[in-house]
Amino acid sequence: MNPSTHLTAIANPPAPDGRYLAPSQRFLVFRLGQDHYGLDIGRVNKLVDYRALTRIHDGRGLVEGVAMVDDAIVALVDLRFPQPAASNRLTAVIVLALSGHNVGIVVDDVTDVVMPSSSQIRPMPPGEGDNSYLTGVATVGRRDLILLDIERLLAGAPAAAPVQRAA
């Protein structure tokens, strides 16, 4: 999938209970290392080529800094943390609408959009600690996709309010 492509008219609203078990739900699939993840495409505003961003501030750790995206300042959260790979032509930023703010997540690659049936989705097994942001595992073709509640995952990450550039 071309990271510079705008996503339009393909989003579905999230399920009323916040879980990703609705059979008609669409997931944007991205890669971190060798693992594939899916997030509700209804949260996605835009895909941006990581190399095309103008980074204003370089952060440390999980929050990489902020960047300008369509005249708005967007906080960048590097999901490749703690050991981000070197950025390359596939590295993308997924700009998400979360709680009224835009947040960009840096991922290794965005691969496709899938719409698994409810029979292809299994709930996450219980684990230690808080894994409430892991909502299930979908088997699509030969891939297992870890389904995320991205808002829960990023609950502690800062968000930057949209700011317009001065004319």
Side-chain angles (χ1 to χ4, degrees), residues 50 53-68 73-78 102-104 106 158-160:
Y50 180 78
L53 288 178
T54 302
R55 283 174 286 289
I56 299 170
H57 166 69
D58 290 328
R60 302 265 188 259
L62 179 67
V63 178
E64 181 172 308
V66 295
M68 291 298 292
I73 297 175
V74 175
L76 295 179
V77 177
D78 196 338
N102 286 329
V103 176
V106 182

PDB file of all heavy atoms in Angstrom, residues 50 53-68 73-78 102-104 106 158-160:
ATOM      1  N   TYR A  50       7.209   8.251   5.906  1.00  0.00           N
ATOM      2  CA  TYR A  50       8.021   8.731   7.014  1.00  0.00           C
ATOM      3  C   TYR A  50       9.119   9.675   6.538  1.00  0.00           C
ATOM      4  O   TYR A  50       9.409  10.676   7.174  1.00  0.00           O
ATOM      5  CB  TYR A  50       8.630   7.534   7.740  1.00  0.00           C
ATOM      6  CG  TYR A  50       9.498   7.887   8.923  1.00  0.00           C
ATOM      7  CD1 TYR A  50       8.932   8.252  10.134  1.00  0.00           C
ATOM      8  CD2 TYR A  50      10.887   7.843   8.836  1.00  0.00           C
ATOM      9  CE1 TYR A  50       9.716   8.566  11.226  1.00  0.00           C
ATOM     10  CE2 TYR A  50      11.684   8.151   9.920  1.00  0.00           C
ATOM     11  CZ  TYR A  50      11.087   8.513  11.117  1.00  0.00           C
ATOM     12  OH  TYR A  50      11.864   8.828  12.187  1.00  0.00           O
ATOM     13  N   LEU A  53       8.209  13.538   6.018  1.00  0.00           N
ATOM     14  CA  LEU A  53       7.814  14.389   7.132  1.00  0.00           C
ATOM     15  C   LEU A  53       8.861  15.440   7.451  1.00  0.00           C
ATOM     16  O   LEU A  53      10.058  15.180   7.366  1.00  0.00           O
ATOM     17  CB  LEU A  53       7.588  13.556   8.395  1.00  0.00           C
ATOM     18  CG  LEU A  53       6.350  12.692   8.430  1.00  0.00           C
ATOM     19  CD1 LEU A  53       6.324  11.914   9.729  1.00  0.00           C
ATOM     20  CD2 LEU A  53       5.098  13.517   8.283  1.00  0.00           C
ATOM     21  N   THR A  54       8.398  16.590   7.849  1.00  0.00           N
ATOM     22  CA  THR A  54       9.269  17.607   8.420  1.00  0.00           C
ATOM     23  C   THR A  54       9.167  17.455   9.928  1.00  0.00           C
ATOM     24  O   THR A  54       8.148  17.782  10.527  1.00  0.00           O
ATOM     25  CB  THR A  54       8.809  19.014   8.007  1.00  0.00           C
ATOM     26  OG1 THR A  54       8.813  19.093   6.591  1.00  0.00           O
ATOM     27  CG2 THR A  54       9.708  20.082   8.608  1.00  0.00           C
ATOM     28  N   ARG A  55      10.210  16.905  10.522  1.00  0.00           N
ATOM     29  CA  ARG A  55      10.215  16.704  11.965  1.00  0.00           C
ATOM     30  C   ARG A  55      10.690  17.984  12.632  1.00  0.00           C
ATOM     31  O   ARG A  55      11.706  18.547  12.280  1.00  0.00           O
ATOM     32  CB  ARG A  55      11.086  15.503  12.328  1.00  0.00           C
ATOM     33  CG  ARG A  55      10.349  14.197  12.030  1.00  0.00           C
ATOM     34  CD  ARG A  55      11.215  12.990  12.240  1.00  0.00           C
ATOM     35  NE  ARG A  55      12.223  12.781  11.208  1.00  0.00           N
ATOM     36  CZ  ARG A  55      11.970  12.385   9.974  1.00  0.00           C
ATOM     37  NH1 ARG A  55      10.739  12.161   9.592  1.00  0.00           N
ATOM     38  NH2 ARG A  55      12.932  12.204   9.108  1.00  0.00           N
ATOM     39  N   ILE A  56       9.904  18.436  13.607  1.00  0.00           N
ATOM     40  CA  ILE A  56      10.191  19.682  14.289  1.00  0.00           C
ATOM     41  C   ILE A  56      11.059  19.441  15.509  1.00  0.00           C
ATOM     42  O   ILE A  56      11.910  20.236  15.853  1.00  0.00           O
ATOM     43  CB  ILE A  56       8.872  20.372  14.695  1.00  0.00           C
ATOM     44  CG1 ILE A  56       8.064  20.683  13.445  1.00  0.00           C
ATOM     45  CG2 ILE A  56       9.126  21.629  15.508  1.00  0.00           C
ATOM     46  CD1 ILE A  56       6.662  21.132  13.722  1.00  0.00           C
ATOM     47  N   HIS A  57      10.823  18.352  16.166  1.00  0.00           N
ATOM     48  CA  HIS A  57      11.543  18.048  17.404  1.00  0.00           C
ATOM     49  C   HIS A  57      11.816  16.555  17.444  1.00  0.00           C
ATOM     50  O   HIS A  57      10.943  15.758  17.138  1.00  0.00           O
ATOM     51  CB  HIS A  57      10.699  18.454  18.615  1.00  0.00           C
ATOM     52  CG  HIS A  57      11.193  17.897  19.910  1.00  0.00           C
ATOM     53  ND1 HIS A  57      12.367  18.296  20.487  1.00  0.00           N
ATOM     54  CD2 HIS A  57      10.681  16.960  20.725  1.00  0.00           C
ATOM     55  CE1 HIS A  57      12.551  17.626  21.612  1.00  0.00           C
ATOM     56  NE2 HIS A  57      11.536  16.814  21.778  1.00  0.00           N
ATOM     57  N   ASP A  58      13.013  16.197  17.788  1.00  0.00           N
ATOM     58  CA  ASP A  58      13.340  14.791  17.968  1.00  0.00           C
ATOM     59  C   ASP A  58      13.246  14.465  19.445  1.00  0.00           C
ATOM     60  O   ASP A  58      13.915  15.077  20.263  1.00  0.00           O
ATOM     61  CB  ASP A  58      14.761  14.482  17.468  1.00  0.00           C
ATOM     62  CG  ASP A  58      14.845  14.561  15.957  1.00  0.00           C
ATOM     63  OD1 ASP A  58      13.830  14.244  15.306  1.00  0.00           O
ATOM     64  OD2 ASP A  58      15.892  14.945  15.439  1.00  0.00           O
ATOM     65  N   GLY A  59      12.404  13.512  19.770  1.00  0.00           N
ATOM     66  CA  GLY A  59      12.236  13.097  21.156  1.00  0.00           C
ATOM     67  C   GLY A  59      13.119  11.905  21.473  1.00  0.00           C
ATOM     68  O   GLY A  59      13.950  11.487  20.687  1.00  0.00           O
ATOM     69  N   ARG A  60      12.911  11.351  22.618  1.00  0.00           N
ATOM     70  CA  ARG A  60      13.659  10.187  23.054  1.00  0.00           C
ATOM     71  C   ARG A  60      12.657   9.109  23.441  1.00  0.00           C
ATOM     72  O   ARG A  60      11.618   9.393  24.029  1.00  0.00           O
ATOM     73  CB  ARG A  60      14.515  10.517  24.280  1.00  0.00           C
ATOM     74  CG  ARG A  60      15.487  11.644  24.035  1.00  0.00           C
ATOM     75  CD  ARG A  60      16.848  11.068  23.639  1.00  0.00           C
ATOM     76  NE  ARG A  60      17.846  12.109  23.592  1.00  0.00           N
ATOM     77  CZ  ARG A  60      18.270  12.658  22.470  1.00  0.00           C
ATOM     78  NH1 ARG A  60      17.783  12.285  21.341  1.00  0.00           N
ATOM     79  NH2 ARG A  60      19.193  13.588  22.494  1.00  0.00           N
ATOM     80  N   GLY A  61      12.982   7.879  23.130  1.00  0.00           N
ATOM     81  CA  GLY A  61      12.136   6.781  23.549  1.00  0.00           C
ATOM     82  C   GLY A  61      10.898   6.636  22.694  1.00  0.00           C
ATOM     83  O   GLY A  61      10.924   6.835  21.488  1.00  0.00           O
ATOM     84  N   LEU A  62       9.791   6.307  23.342  1.00  0.00           N
ATOM     85  CA  LEU A  62       8.537   6.023  22.649  1.00  0.00           C
ATOM     86  C   LEU A  62       8.051   7.214  21.834  1.00  0.00           C
ATOM     87  O   LEU A  62       7.657   7.080  20.691  1.00  0.00           O
ATOM     88  CB  LEU A  62       7.468   5.608  23.665  1.00  0.00           C
ATOM     89  CG  LEU A  62       6.089   5.297  23.108  1.00  0.00           C
ATOM     90  CD1 LEU A  62       6.144   4.043  22.255  1.00  0.00           C
ATOM     91  CD2 LEU A  62       5.097   5.111  24.234  1.00  0.00           C
ATOM     92  N   VAL A  63       8.076   8.411  22.418  1.00  0.00           N
ATOM     93  CA  VAL A  63       7.643   9.603  21.686  1.00  0.00           C
ATOM     94  C   VAL A  63       8.844  10.132  20.917  1.00  0.00           C
ATOM     95  O   VAL A  63       9.816  10.589  21.491  1.00  0.00           O
ATOM     96  CB  VAL A  63       7.079  10.677  22.641  1.00  0.00           C
ATOM     97  CG1 VAL A  63       6.690  11.922  21.858  1.00  0.00           C
ATOM     98  CG2 VAL A  63       5.900  10.118  23.406  1.00  0.00           C
ATOM     99  N   GLU A  64       8.741  10.023  19.608  1.00  0.00           N
ATOM    100  CA  GLU A  64       9.850  10.425  18.751  1.00  0.00           C
ATOM    101  C   GLU A  64       9.940  11.935  18.609  1.00  0.00           C
ATOM    102  O   GLU A  64      10.998  12.478  18.356  1.00  0.00           O
ATOM    103  CB  GLU A  64       9.686   9.779  17.379  1.00  0.00           C
ATOM    104  CG  GLU A  64      10.804  10.123  16.442  1.00  0.00           C
ATOM    105  CD  GLU A  64      10.735   9.332  15.172  1.00  0.00           C
ATOM    106  OE1 GLU A  64      10.650   8.109  15.231  1.00  0.00           O
ATOM    107  OE2 GLU A  64      10.790   9.976  14.118  1.00  0.00           O
ATOM    108  N   GLY A  65       8.831  12.606  18.748  1.00  0.00           N
ATOM    109  CA  GLY A  65       8.806  14.053  18.590  1.00  0.00           C
ATOM    110  C   GLY A  65       7.507  14.454  17.945  1.00  0.00           C
ATOM    111  O   GLY A  65       6.490  13.778  18.095  1.00  0.00           O
ATOM    112  N   VAL A  66       7.535  15.552  17.213  1.00  0.00           N
ATOM    113  CA  VAL A  66       6.356  16.013  16.504  1.00  0.00           C
ATOM    114  C   VAL A  66       6.742  16.309  15.061  1.00  0.00           C
ATOM    115  O   VAL A  66       7.912  16.502  14.744  1.00  0.00           O
ATOM    116  CB  VAL A  66       5.729  17.272  17.163  1.00  0.00           C
ATOM    117  CG1 VAL A  66       5.212  16.946  18.552  1.00  0.00           C
ATOM    118  CG2 VAL A  66       6.707  18.424  17.199  1.00  0.00           C
ATOM    119  N   ALA A  67       5.730  16.337  14.207  1.00  0.00           N
ATOM    120  CA  ALA A  67       5.959  16.619  12.792  1.00  0.00           C
ATOM    121  C   ALA A  67       4.781  17.414  12.262  1.00  0.00           C
ATOM    122  O   ALA A  67       3.700  17.418  12.851  1.00  0.00           O
ATOM    123  CB  ALA A  67       6.117  15.321  12.010  1.00  0.00           C
ATOM    124  N   MET A  68       4.997  18.079  11.150  1.00  0.00           N
ATOM    125  CA  MET A  68       3.927  18.790  10.463  1.00  0.00           C
ATOM    126  C   MET A  68       3.288  17.842   9.454  1.00  0.00           C
ATOM    127  O   MET A  68       3.978  17.265   8.618  1.00  0.00           O
ATOM    128  CB  MET A  68       4.463  20.015   9.728  1.00  0.00           C
ATOM    129  CG  MET A  68       4.943  21.128  10.645  1.00  0.00           C
ATOM    130  SD  MET A  68       3.660  21.813  11.705  1.00  0.00           S
ATOM    131  CE  MET A  68       2.621  22.622  10.517  1.00  0.00           C
ATOM    132  N   ILE A  73       0.307  20.136  13.673  1.00  0.00           N
ATOM    133  CA  ILE A  73       1.382  19.493  14.425  1.00  0.00           C
ATOM    134  C   ILE A  73       0.843  18.181  14.974  1.00  0.00           C
ATOM    135  O   ILE A  73      -0.216  18.144  15.597  1.00  0.00           O
ATOM    136  CB  ILE A  73       1.864  20.398  15.570  1.00  0.00           C
ATOM    137  CG1 ILE A  73       2.448  21.687  14.983  1.00  0.00           C
ATOM    138  CG2 ILE A  73       2.889  19.674  16.431  1.00  0.00           C
ATOM    139  CD1 ILE A  73       2.841  22.716  16.017  1.00  0.00           C
ATOM    140  N   VAL A  74       1.577  17.114  14.711  1.00  0.00           N
ATOM    141  CA  VAL A  74       1.159  15.774  15.112  1.00  0.00           C
ATOM    142  C   VAL A  74       2.265  15.142  15.941  1.00  0.00           C
ATOM    143  O   VAL A  74       3.431  15.132  15.532  1.00  0.00           O
ATOM    144  CB  VAL A  74       0.874  14.903  13.860  1.00  0.00           C
ATOM    145  CG1 VAL A  74       0.554  13.473  14.248  1.00  0.00           C
ATOM    146  CG2 VAL A  74      -0.262  15.507  13.040  1.00  0.00           C
ATOM    147  N   ALA A  75       1.913  14.628  17.123  1.00  0.00           N
ATOM    148  CA  ALA A  75       2.872  13.889  17.938  1.00  0.00           C
ATOM    149  C   ALA A  75       3.181  12.565  17.236  1.00  0.00           C
ATOM    150  O   ALA A  75       2.281  11.918  16.702  1.00  0.00           O
ATOM    151  CB  ALA A  75       2.293  13.616  19.327  1.00  0.00           C
ATOM    152  N   LEU A  76       4.449  12.186  17.231  1.00  0.00           N
ATOM    153  CA  LEU A  76       4.864  10.921  16.617  1.00  0.00           C
ATOM    154  C   LEU A  76       5.252   9.932  17.699  1.00  0.00           C
ATOM    155  O   LEU A  76       6.113  10.214  18.528  1.00  0.00           O
ATOM    156  CB  LEU A  76       6.073  11.134  15.698  1.00  0.00           C
ATOM    157  CG  LEU A  76       5.860  11.990  14.461  1.00  0.00           C
ATOM    158  CD1 LEU A  76       7.166  12.117  13.697  1.00  0.00           C
ATOM    159  CD2 LEU A  76       4.766  11.414  13.585  1.00  0.00           C
ATOM    160  N   VAL A  77       4.610   8.773  17.684  1.00  0.00           N
ATOM    161  CA  VAL A  77       4.907   7.699  18.614  1.00  0.00           C
ATOM    162  C   VAL A  77       5.503   6.557  17.800  1.00  0.00           C
ATOM    163  O   VAL A  77       4.869   6.054  16.874  1.00  0.00           O
ATOM    164  CB  VAL A  77       3.635   7.242  19.358  1.00  0.00           C
ATOM    165  CG1 VAL A  77       3.941   6.070  20.276  1.00  0.00           C
ATOM    166  CG2 VAL A  77       3.027   8.396  20.132  1.00  0.00           C
ATOM    167  N   ASP A  78       6.726   6.178  18.140  1.00  0.00           N
ATOM    168  CA  ASP A  78       7.411   5.127  17.396  1.00  0.00           C
ATOM    169  C   ASP A  78       7.079   3.779  18.018  1.00  0.00           C
ATOM    170  O   ASP A  78       7.570   3.438  19.089  1.00  0.00           O
ATOM    171  CB  ASP A  78       8.919   5.372  17.416  1.00  0.00           C
ATOM    172  CG  ASP A  78       9.641   4.568  16.356  1.00  0.00           C
ATOM    173  OD1 ASP A  78       9.082   3.534  15.896  1.00  0.00           O
ATOM    174  OD2 ASP A  78      10.759   4.948  15.984  1.00  0.00           O
ATOM    175  N   ASN A 102      -4.899  14.328  16.689  1.00  0.00           N
ATOM    176  CA  ASN A 102      -4.186  13.483  15.738  1.00  0.00           C
ATOM    177  C   ASN A 102      -2.871  13.024  16.356  1.00  0.00           C
ATOM    178  O   ASN A 102      -2.149  13.821  16.945  1.00  0.00           O
ATOM    179  CB  ASN A 102      -3.885  14.237  14.440  1.00  0.00           C
ATOM    180  CG  ASN A 102      -5.104  14.423  13.594  1.00  0.00           C
ATOM    181  OD1 ASN A 102      -6.016  13.608  13.602  1.00  0.00           O
ATOM    182  ND2 ASN A 102      -5.146  15.507  12.845  1.00  0.00           N
ATOM    183  N   VAL A 103      -2.596  11.736  16.226  1.00  0.00           N
ATOM    184  CA  VAL A 103      -1.341  11.143  16.688  1.00  0.00           C
ATOM    185  C   VAL A 103      -0.816  10.304  15.540  1.00  0.00           C
ATOM    186  O   VAL A 103      -1.575   9.579  14.897  1.00  0.00           O
ATOM    187  CB  VAL A 103      -1.566  10.251  17.931  1.00  0.00           C
ATOM    188  CG1 VAL A 103      -0.281   9.557  18.339  1.00  0.00           C
ATOM    189  CG2 VAL A 103      -2.119  11.060  19.086  1.00  0.00           C
ATOM    190  N   GLY A 104       0.476  10.397  15.276  1.00  0.00           N
ATOM    191  CA  GLY A 104       1.086   9.589  14.238  1.00  0.00           C
ATOM    192  C   GLY A 104       1.864   8.441  14.853  1.00  0.00           C
ATOM    193  O   GLY A 104       2.624   8.654  15.800  1.00  0.00           O
ATOM    194  N   VAL A 106       4.640   5.463  14.071  1.00  0.00           N
ATOM    195  CA  VAL A 106       5.668   5.065  13.114  1.00  0.00           C
ATOM    196  C   VAL A 106       5.724   3.546  13.113  1.00  0.00           C
ATOM    197  O   VAL A 106       5.850   2.911  14.169  1.00  0.00           O
ATOM    198  CB  VAL A 106       7.045   5.650  13.490  1.00  0.00           C
ATOM    199  CG1 VAL A 106       8.094   5.255  12.461  1.00  0.00           C
ATOM    200  CG2 VAL A 106       6.962   7.166  13.613  1.00  0.00           C
ATOM    201  N   PRO A 158       1.413  11.357  24.546  1.00  0.00           N
ATOM    202  CA  PRO A 158       0.911  12.721  24.378  1.00  0.00           C
ATOM    203  C   PRO A 158       0.328  12.923  22.987  1.00  0.00           C
ATOM    204  O   PRO A 158       0.732  12.276  22.037  1.00  0.00           O
ATOM    205  CB  PRO A 158       2.165  13.576  24.570  1.00  0.00           C
ATOM    206  CG  PRO A 158       3.283  12.695  24.207  1.00  0.00           C
ATOM    207  CD  PRO A 158       2.864  11.291  24.582  1.00  0.00           C
ATOM    208  N   ALA A 159      -0.623  13.814  22.914  1.00  0.00           N
ATOM    209  CA  ALA A 159      -1.205  14.181  21.623  1.00  0.00           C
ATOM    210  C   ALA A 159      -1.001  15.659  21.396  1.00  0.00           C
ATOM    211  O   ALA A 159      -0.951  16.434  22.341  1.00  0.00           O
ATOM    212  CB  ALA A 159      -2.709  13.854  21.608  1.00  0.00           C
ATOM    213  N   ALA A 160      -0.860  16.028  20.168  1.00  0.00           N
ATOM    214  CA  ALA A 160      -0.715  17.442  19.833  1.00  0.00           C
ATOM    215  C   ALA A 160      -2.011  17.916  19.192  1.00  0.00           C
ATOM    216  O   ALA A 160      -2.536  17.280  18.300  1.00  0.00           O
ATOM    217  CB  ALA A 160       0.451  17.638  18.860  1.00  0.00           C
TER     218      ALA A 160
END
